[in-house]
Amino acid sequence: AQSVTQPDIHITVSEGASLELRCNYSYGATPYLFWYVQSPGQGLQLLLKYFSGDTLVQGIKGFEAEFKRSQSSFNLRKPSVHWSDAAEYFCAVAPYGGSQGNLIFGKGTKLSVKP
Amino acid sequence: EAGVAQSPRYKIIEKRQSVAFWCNPISGHATLYWYQQILGQGPKLLIQFQNNGVVDDSQLPKDRFSAERLKGVDSTLKIQPAKLEDSAVYLCASSLGSSGHEQFFGPGTRLTVL
């Protein structure tokens, strides 16, 4: 069965520091890969997605993620965190080439930002 | 462009009562999803519609949950009767198509079952 693992439940970084959020997936082939952000009381917003091609993808708000097939990973990075980045981040996968688009989400990583 | 609308935003009910949630997707989006997000977890798909047909409802507890999208536009999700473990945020999302298309999420309905 497909699954997504986000090993870190909660991460705290200082404003201006770099950030890396980890995501590993379990799937027989390369799925579609996504990162979403959820601010308190709000719905999820797509940060970036990977379907194929260049394994380093750029997203909104200065985020990027790198797909590593050998490690089944899709880690999210940002070189300099801003206080407004404090939120919960979800990695998700969807079957590649399937007729269904349902997303399978990880449990999320909550990001706190210290001033 | 208007986003995905959901109502109500909050609902508190007692167990064994019934409740209904409403979702209006982005105009022109053929695919509509309902997710359940329990505290501390990622969203879990309950049901996926393509226009007014059900594509996937394998994780919908059909003994108590039902959903419809009669005219292929807005949708309702109902729980009857509710249990304590149904306390969660119910998220609606829509997309232009199914596989590979970006899903746009509404703000969710937070349900508390007492």
Side-chain angles (χ1 to χ4, degrees), chain B residues 16-34:
Chain B
R16 291 188 288 273
Q17 287 187 322
S18 63
V19 64
F21 312 127
W22 175 81
C23 171
N24 191 29
I26 293 173
S27 178
H29 281 195
T31 310
L32 185 146
Y33 312 79
W34 283 103

Side-chain angles (χ1 to χ4, degrees), chain B residues 33-91:
Chain B
Y33 312 79
W34 283 103
Y35 289 86
Q36 180 192 58
Q37 185 177 18
I38 293 172
L39 187 65
Q41 309 253 342
K44 181 187 80 172
L45 180 73
L46 292 176
I47 189 167
Q48 176 186 347
F49 291 95
Q50 182 73 16
N51 297 308
N52 61 350
V54 175
V55 174
D56 183 359
D57 63 357
S58 58
Q59 298 191 91
L60 186 74
K62 298 180 187 63
D63 58 333
R64 298 184 300 106
F65 285 64
S66 64
E68 59 183 15
R69 193 185 184 199
L70 292 176
K71 296 183 180 179
V73 181
D74 56 351
S75 174
T76 56
L77 176 69
K78 297 179 182 178
I79 308 175
Q80 182 180 8
K83 292 185 175 182
L84 296 177
E85 58 261 36
D86 298 331
S87 293
V89 176
Y90 291 84
L91 295 165

Side-chain angles (χ1 to χ4, degrees), chain B residues 1 12-13 45 51 55-56 64 85 99 103 110 113:
Chain B
E1 176 181 270
I12 300 174
I13 62 172
L45 180 73
N51 297 308
V55 174
D56 183 359
R64 298 184 300 106
E85 58 261 36
S99 183
Q103 295 184 26
R110 181 176 297 277
V113 182

Side-chain angles (χ1 to χ4, degrees), chain A residues 35-96:
Chain A
W35 274 99
Y36 282 84
V37 60
Q38 186 176 35
S39 298
Q42 303 205 8
L44 285 84
Q45 181 184 22
L46 180 68
L47 287 174
L48 46 78
K49 60 187 176 185
Y50 173 78
F51 288 176
S52 64
D54 192 346
T55 56
L56 184 63
V57 293
Q58 302 296 321
I60 62 171
K61 305 185 180 186
F63 285 93
E64 66 177 27
E66 185 172 13
F67 168 60
K68 292 186 177 179
R69 185 190 307 274
S70 61
Q71 298 176 21
S72 297
S73 69
F74 189 56
N75 294 348
L76 181 72
R77 301 195 293 247
K78 186 169 184 178
S80 178
V81 169
H82 188 262
W83 64 266
S84 60
D85 294 325
E88 190 149 23
Y89 292 80
F90 292 93
C91 181
V93 303
Y96 174 79

